[in-house]
């Protein structure tokens, strides 16, 4: 992924830009801005750039050398500087997934002071919680964390053995659920259950991916919603589900699943992986420095990717909510172009 | 030179990067687009830059033509929007803009002029799009195919270690 694909050499623009978050949105923006000539520093809490592409999406989908080549090109040819293992946050810290490597903390306000512009592209590094009994028991591991730990272990970034289990229940119907089920299957689980509250037709991961996993040996159970985690001595032993039927369409246009009373059943498991979605992780808990968050925790921007703070822009999944690599890339590129326009206009008017 | 751009549909993960990058480069219009083929299985399609391009033959004004690298490109100043190329293309590639001329993938003319790779090629995270001289591209496809059919053999040697 050659993030600096737009130029042979750096251009002549002057100014310093800090990018917080080195996922596809941040890296695409870094490439664009470095090509224009800006000095670009990219901050990330992880030990290597790439975001989800490097640490979460399975390497049989995105070959890691593709990311490494693009990052090295940014560093060597376009002098982009990476400040890694550094969490940028304003106010009291919040624990997000992927925080294990953080060695330094930098307040966002410090970057806003030191740079001409700050672009926030921090993605969605928190698994949504299910809000049911027993969720905090041992043996309940959110999908993001589960996949990411395996990857760290296999890349030898940690010696800590990841979660190994014989019977795994994955709850959800999106990409994270698919990847978690596949990781479980490939890492020696004997039985893997993938349970979703609607049907295969509504599953965000799509019928194709689910059928592919079923062929690989995953047990697909639809129209079931978790009610509670069955816990013994603070260790998860299984999940109690209730059967659902499809009702009237909800706000999303998909039929709303409705529980069928008295239809409860238990699937025994020694590992439960909730994968019901990720939440935005902006570098603040609530409105700060004029940067506003919406009800779902996403950073609010205008059509030019500007936040409420004149010097701060935001792009990628932290603005849109969970999307796809391409959508985040496009958003990062457009934000970078807006930043370039903003800085050039400011230069002209002094 | 005869240039080829080939998509490896096995490697493509349907991530929309090619489409978004192309849209960014071309005033909000994407010349490579993903379609849902079956239940969330999405793949991109774009111009094949055919050697004997039916769109070029069908074009009455010469607007649709081949450039130096062999890319099929439209000169909007000569295009009269008759849509003959759209009818002639077997793959539904050229599109008519609201302004009445036809557009399509130009293999990123602007980037090629600067000696750079087309946007979709450079940015695909799965390295699924290759581009270059005919020799280079067919060689890479042949090698990929050989690696695929020899994979079990190589694997068994590795296992015996
Ligand atoms: C399990 C899973 C599988 C997926 N599979 C696919 C797929 O197959 N195809 C596809 O197209 N998309 C897939 N996606 C979606 C895709 O990964 C995202 O849409 C995309 O990565 C978003 O890009 P981004 O740049 O906005 O954020 P991210 O890629 O999330 O990057 C954000 C970066 O910000 C850093 N960061 C966060 N907070 C801070 C902080 N406070 N300080 C410093 N750094 C911080 C993070 O470490 C990270 O590097 C998948 C997502 C998941 C969860
Ligand atoms: S960028 Fe590559 S992997 Fe993504 S959709 Fe396009 S061809 Fe497929
Ligand atoms: S527009 Fe259609 S006919 Fe013309 S070169 Fe492209 S694929 Fe071939
Ligand atoms: S070569 Fe350029 S114009 Fe053609 S599809 Fe790719 S990005 Fe678009």
């Amino acid at each position: 992924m050659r993030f600096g694909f737009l130029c042979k050499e750096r251009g002549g623009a002057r100014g310093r830009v800090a990018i917080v978050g080195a996922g596809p949105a941040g890296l695409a923006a870094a490439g664009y801005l470095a090509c224009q000539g800006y000095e670009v520093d990219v901050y990330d809490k992880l030990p290597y750039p790439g975001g989800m592409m490097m640490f979460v999406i399975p390497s049989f989908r995105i070959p890691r050398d593709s990311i490494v080549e693009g990052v090295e090109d940014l560093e060597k040819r376009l002098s982009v500087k990476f400040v890694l293992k550094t969490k940028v946050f304003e106010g009291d810290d919040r624990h997000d997934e992927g925080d294990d490597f953080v060695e330094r903390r930098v307040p966002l306000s410090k970057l806003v002071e030191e740079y001409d512009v700050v672009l926030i592209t921090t993605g969605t590094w928190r698994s949504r919680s299910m809000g049911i009994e027993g969720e905090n028991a041992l043996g309940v591991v959110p999908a993001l964390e589960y996949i990411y730990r395996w990857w760290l272990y296999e890349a030898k970034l940690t010696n800590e053995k990841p979660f190994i289990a014989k019977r795994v229940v994955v709850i959800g119907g999106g990409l994270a659920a698919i990847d978690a089920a596949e990781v479980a299957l490939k890492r020696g689980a004997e039985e893997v259950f993938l349970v979703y509250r609607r049907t295969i037709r509504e599953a965000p991961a799509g019928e194709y991916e689910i059928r592919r996993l079923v062929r690989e040996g995953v047990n697909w159970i639809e129209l079931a919603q978790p009610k509670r985690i069955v816990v013994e001595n603070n260790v998860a032993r299984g999940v109690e589900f209730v059967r659902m039927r499809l009702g009237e369409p909800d706000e999303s246009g998909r039929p709303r699943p409705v529980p069928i009373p008295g239809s409860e059943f238990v699937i025994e498991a020694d590992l439960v992986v909730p994968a019901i979605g990720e939440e935005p992780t902006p570098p603040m808990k609530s409105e700060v420095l004029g940067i506003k968050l919406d009800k779902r925790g996403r950073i609010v921007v205008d059509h030019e990717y500007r936040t409420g703070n004149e010097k701060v822009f935001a792009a990628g999944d932290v603005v849109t909510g969970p999307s796809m690599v391409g959508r985040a890339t496009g958003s990062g590129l457009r934000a970078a172009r807006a930043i370039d326009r903003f800085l050039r206009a400011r230069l002209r008017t002094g | 030179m005869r240039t080829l751009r080939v998509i490896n549909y096995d490697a493509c993960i349907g991530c929309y990067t090619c489409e978004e990058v192309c849209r960014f480069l071309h005033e909000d219009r994407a010349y490579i687009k993903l379609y849902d083929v079956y239940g969330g299985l999405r793949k991109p399609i774009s111009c094949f830059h055919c050697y004997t391009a039916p769109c070029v033959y069908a074009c009455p004004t010469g607007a649709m033509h081949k450039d130096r690298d062999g890319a099929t490109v439209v000169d909007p100043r000569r295009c009269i929007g008759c849509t003959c190329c759209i009818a002639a293309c077997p793959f539904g590639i050229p599109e008519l803009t609201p302004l009445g001329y036809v557009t399509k993938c130009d293999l990123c003319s602007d980037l090629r002029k600067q000696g750079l790779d087309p946007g979709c090629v450079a940015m695909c995270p799965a390295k699924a799009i290759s581009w270059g001289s005919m020799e280079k591209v067919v060689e890479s496809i042949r090698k990929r195919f050989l690696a695929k059919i020899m994979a079990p053999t190589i694997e068994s040697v590795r296992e015996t270690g």
Side-chain angles (χ1 to χ4, degrees):
Chain A
M1 224 178 163
R2 203 164 336 106
F3 305 102
F5 71 102
L6 282 167
C7 66
K8 279 235 133 124
E9 289 154 32
R10 287 177 62 153
R14 293 272 173 272
R16 297 182 70 217
V17 180
I19 296 176
V20 184
L27 293 176
Y32 184 94
L33 291 166
C35 271
Q36 294 296 326
Y38 298 102
E39 245 179 81
V40 182
D41 295 348
V42 184
Y43 291 78
D44 202 291
K45 63 184 185 180
L46 288 163
Y48 200 82
M52 297 275 180
M53 299 192 297
M54 195 70 197
F55 289 91
V56 178
I57 299 179
S59 55
F60 63 80
R61 289 219 197 124
I62 297 186
R64 297 308 191 246
D65 61 338
S66 157
I67 312 301
V68 172
E69 282 165 23
V71 167
E72 286 181 353
D73 178 59
L74 282 180
E75 268 184 314
K76 295 191 179 126
R77 189 170 60 90
L78 296 170
S79 312
V80 170
K81 238 176 60 204
F82 288 97
V83 186
L84 300 170
K85 302 184 181 179
T86 305
K87 184 165 179 177
V88 177
F89 208 83
E90 191 68 18
D92 289 343
D93 193 29
R94 170 191 66 216
H95 181 81
D96 299 332
E97 278 154 70
D99 275 2
D100 322 61
F101 294 95
V102 174
E103 287 173 2
R104 283 169 297 272
R105 287 167 206 277
V106 178
L108 179 64
S109 50
K110 186 159 175 270
L111 299 187
V112 176
E113 236 167 73
E114 283 175 9
Y115 291 85
D116 297 308
V117 158
V118 177
L119 171 65
I120 302 174
T121 46
T122 45
T124 54
W125 280 76
R126 270 156 74 86
S127 300
R128 196 185 299 158
S129 69
M130 300 185 291
I132 59 172
E133 186 190 320
E135 203 167 353
N136 297 323
L138 288 175
V140 182
V141 183
L144 215 59
E145 174 125 10
Y146 177 62
I147 303 167
Y148 154 84
R149 294 246 166 234
W150 266 107
W151 197 85
L152 293 184
Y153 180 69
E154 283 167 4
K156 299 195 169 57
L157 286 164
T158 172
N159 292 322
E160 210 178 303
K161 268 242 165 216
F163 316 93
I164 299 174
K166 287 215 167 73
R167 283 172 69 87
V168 181
V169 171
V170 180
I171 301 164
L175 284 172
I178 292 289
D179 287 349
E182 187 149 21
V183 167
L185 203 64
K186 288 201 170 145
R187 303 297 176 268
E190 283 161 17
E191 288 273 15
V192 180
F193 298 87
L194 181 56
V195 189
Y196 179 55
R197 62 196 187 122
R198 294 186 170 98
T199 76
I200 195 167
R201 276 192 301 279
E202 289 84 30
E207 214 168 317
Y208 172 80
E209 282 294 319
I210 291 165
R211 289 196 191 280
R212 186 176 66 78
L213 281 190
V214 170
R215 194 187 58 196
E216 305 272 308
V218 166
N219 300 290
W220 165 253
I221 298 175
E222 55 184 25
L223 290 170
Q225 178 165 296
K227 252 187 117 171
R228 65 181 179 101
I229 309 289
V230 182
V231 180
E232 269 171 39
N233 301 323
N234 199 32
V235 178
R237 289 281 172 243
V239 187
E240 184 182 308
F241 290 95
V242 58
R243 291 241 170 254
M244 311 292 278
R245 61 177 176 78
L246 292 184
E248 295 297 304
D250 63 10
E251 318 83 65
S252 74
R254 296 177 301 176
R256 187 194 302 276
V258 189
I260 304 173
S263 67
E264 286 78 2
F265 65 102
V266 172
I267 302 178
E268 283 174 32
D270 40 14
L271 184 68
V272 179
V273 183
I276 59 164
E278 296 82 40
E279 290 174 345
T281 44
M284 71 271 302
K285 278 183 181 158
S286 54
E287 178 172 346
V288 67
L289 307 168
I291 305 161
K292 291 193 177 58
L293 307 180
D294 71 7
K295 277 206 302 270
R296 286 149 75 183
R298 298 175 298 192
I299 297 180
V300 178
V301 296
D302 65 9
H303 65 285
E304 288 278 275
Y305 299 87
R306 282 180 300 222
T307 67
N309 184 309
E310 198 203 24
K311 289 173 78 180
V312 182
F313 292 65
D317 282 8
V318 75
V319 166
T320 59
S323 70
M324 305 215 69
V325 169
R327 302 296 186 217
T329 301
S331 163
L333 285 171
R334 291 187 297 271
R337 186 155 59 194
I339 290 169
D340 179 43
R341 283 196 198 121
F342 167 75
L343 287 174
R344 284 181 199 274
R346 210 186 54 177
L347 201 68
R348 273 199 303 275
T349 57
Chain B
M1 191 173 66
R2 174 77 188 110
T3 337
L4 288 185
R5 190 251 327 247
V6 176
I7 303 174
N8 173 358
Y9 285 109
D10 284 336
C12 166
I13 60 165
C15 70
Y16 287 97
T17 301
C18 48
E19 181 177 315
E20 288 283 343
V21 166
C22 187
R23 195 190 311 283
F24 176 76
L25 291 171
H26 299 98
E27 273 119 43
D28 226 24
R29 197 175 273 281
Y31 299 133
I32 182 165
K33 266 200 163 142
L34 281 88
Y35 292 91
D36 194 318
V37 190
Y38 165 80
L41 179 70
R42 293 171 301 263
K43 300 289 168 183
I45 185 164
S46 180
C47 177
F48 293 92
H49 299 279
C50 312
Y51 188 78
T52 310
C55 59
V56 171
Y57 286 92
C59 179
T61 67
M64 189 71 84
H65 65 282
K66 286 281 179 186
D67 75 5
R68 266 205 351 242
D69 290 338
T72 309
V73 298
V74 196
D75 178 350
R77 288 164 308 184
R78 280 196 279 169
C79 177
I80 56 171
C82 65
T83 71
C84 286
C85 54
I86 299 180
C89 171
F91 314 106
I93 299 301
E95 295 173 36
L96 188 66
T97 67
L99 293 176
Y101 61 88
V102 158
T103 67
K104 59 178 288 302
C105 164
D106 62 357
L107 263 186
C108 284
S109 284
D110 290 347
L111 293 176
R112 281 189 288 130
K113 274 182 210 143
Q114 301 170 57
L116 296 160
D117 289 342
C120 57
V121 175
M123 283 293 276
C124 170
K127 293 191 176 180
I129 314 180
S130 49
W131 168 77
S133 69
M134 194 271 291
E135 290 78 9
K136 189 183 117 185
V137 172
V138 294
E139 184 179 303
S140 77
I141 300 173
R142 288 168 186 170
K143 282 185 172 164
R144 194 172 77 223
F145 179 65
L146 285 171
K148 195 167 160 182
I149 48 177
M150 296 314 287
T153 314
I154 296 165
E155 193 63 28
S156 70
V157 170
R158 281 223 179 109
E159 272 164 17
T160 57

